[in-house]
């Protein structure tokens, strides 16, 4: 399976600031996704990162708060904008190749003070 | 809305015993199901999957059972080991959608 690298692995940020999380895959992949996992909870899909076009956001998530880029088939970024303590979560990147299940990176653990 | 849920939040088993983790899903259109294991500090790791045209699939020490009549999914772990201690999630998707809906997660704790 692919190697998925997320950076940073963790960060502590001040409220009102923004953080960009990177997801790098070691091979070209069809689909990339971003999830949020709030403390002690399950995973919730934020958006599908589309190569060369705007991401597709799920209900409750908007581009102004979570802008996403996907400039090529191996890389994507998620920015968490104007952070508040409620944004403290694990943010996870996943990838999907054709006819294979989604595989996840180890996530970015974000705390906002 | 549609959701995927688990019956129990925690499960404690004796090392060597078999574990059974259950999951209920509500979207009758779901046709692909996955079990993930998440260890502390890690992302979810794929364990096993099953398509709706099957009712049982076996892997190494793990078996997934699917009962479409009652919309129920289970993960059986044989001879549970300390390394099996983790949070387990079921997830479902529909056709070519590829978007996963995750269940709430259950913590498996293995007693030595």
């Amino acid at each position: 399976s692919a190697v998925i690298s997320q950076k940073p692995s963790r960060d502590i940020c001040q409220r009102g600031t923004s953080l960009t999380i990177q997801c790098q895959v070691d091979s070209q992949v069809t689909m990339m996704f971003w999830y949020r996992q709030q403390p002690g909870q399950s995973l919730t899909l934020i958006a599908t990162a589309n190569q060369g076009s705007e991401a597709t956001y799920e209900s409750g998530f908007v581009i102004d708060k979570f802008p996403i880029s996907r400039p090529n088939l191996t890389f994507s970024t998620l920015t968490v904008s104007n952070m508040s303590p409620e944004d403290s979560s694990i943010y996870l990147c996943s990838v999907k190749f054709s006819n294979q299940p989604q595989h996840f990176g180890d996530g970015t653990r974000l705390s906002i003070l | 809305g549609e959701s995927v849920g688990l019956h129990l939040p925690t499960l404690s088993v004796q090392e060597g015993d078999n574990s059974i983790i259950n999951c209920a899903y509500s979207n009758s259109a779901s046709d692909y199901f996955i079990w993930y294991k998440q260890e502390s500090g890690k992302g979810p790791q794929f364990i096993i999957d099953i398509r709706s045209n099957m009712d049982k699939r076996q892997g190494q020490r793990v078996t997934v059972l699917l009962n479409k009549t009652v919309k129920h999914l289970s993960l059986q772990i044989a001879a549970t080991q300390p390394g099996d201690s983790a949070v387990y999630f079921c997830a479902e998707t529909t056709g070519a959608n590829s978007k996963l809906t995750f269940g709430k997660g259950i913590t498996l704790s293995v007693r030595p």
Side-chain angles (χ1 to χ4, degrees):
Chain A
S1 60
V3 176
I4 305 166
S5 302
Q6 272 190 244
K7 292 181 181 179
S9 59
R10 61 178 65 244
D11 207 342
I12 300 173
C13 300
Q14 297 294 322
R15 65 179 68 200
T17 63
S18 298
L19 178 73
T20 296
I21 302 167
Q22 299 179 1
C23 179
Q24 179 76 53
V25 190
D26 66 348
S27 56
Q28 293 186 344
V29 63
T30 306
M31 303 187 78
M32 296 180 77
F33 304 89
W34 288 98
Y35 290 80
R36 181 176 72 183
Q37 185 175 24
Q38 293 178 303
Q41 297 190 29
S42 187
L43 283 75
T44 301
L45 180 64
I46 297 172
T48 303
N50 300 310
Q51 194 270 325
S53 64
E54 191 172 286
T56 304
Y57 289 85
E58 297 301 303
S59 176
F61 297 96
V62 295
I63 188 171
D64 290 347
K65 177 67 175 177
F66 297 103
I68 289 170
S69 78
R70 190 175 173 195
N72 56 53
L73 293 175
T74 64
F75 185 78
S76 179
T77 67
L78 168 75
T79 298
V80 185
S81 303
N82 188 24
M83 290 183 284
S84 66
E86 293 72 33
D87 294 320
S88 297
S89 292
I90 303 171
Y91 292 88
L92 294 142
C93 168
S94 77
V95 303
K96 187 181 186 307
F97 297 93
S98 298
N99 299 319
Q100 291 189 22
Q102 284 187 37
H103 290 276
F104 288 81
D106 282 338
T108 295
R109 282 143 185 82
L110 183 57
S111 297
I112 293 91
L113 304 178
Chain B
E2 303 276 337
S3 65
V4 178
L6 296 177
H7 295 306
L8 299 173
T10 60
L11 177 65
S12 180
V13 299
Q14 190 73 39
E15 180 178 357
D17 287 353
N18 297 333
S19 303
I20 300 176
I21 303 171
N22 295 305
C23 175
Y25 66 95
S26 58
N27 186 353
S28 57
S30 294
D31 60 2
Y32 180 52
F33 306 87
I34 307 172
W35 280 101
Y36 287 95
K37 170 187 180 184
Q38 187 176 27
E39 297 174 288
S40 180
K42 299 283 190 179
Q45 176 186 5
F46 170 84
I47 302 173
I48 193 167
D49 58 0
I50 189 167
R51 298 199 178 276
S52 59
N53 60 351
M54 303 174 69
D55 54 19
K56 180 179 180 179
R57 191 166 188 216
Q58 289 184 290
Q60 187 175 15
R61 281 202 308 119
V62 295
T63 300
V64 55
L65 300 177
L66 175 63
N67 186 329
K68 295 181 289 295
T69 302
V70 295
K71 288 182 276 188
H72 184 266
L73 191 69
S74 70
L75 176 70
Q76 300 178 0
I77 304 174
T80 312
Q81 302 170 359
D84 295 325
S85 294
V87 178
Y88 289 80
F89 294 97
C90 64
E92 51 137 357
T93 189
T94 305
N97 186 303
S98 296
K99 295 191 296 185
L100 292 176
T101 299
F102 278 81
K104 294 180 181 177
I106 184 168
T107 300
L108 177 64
S109 177
V110 181
R111 303 188 303 272

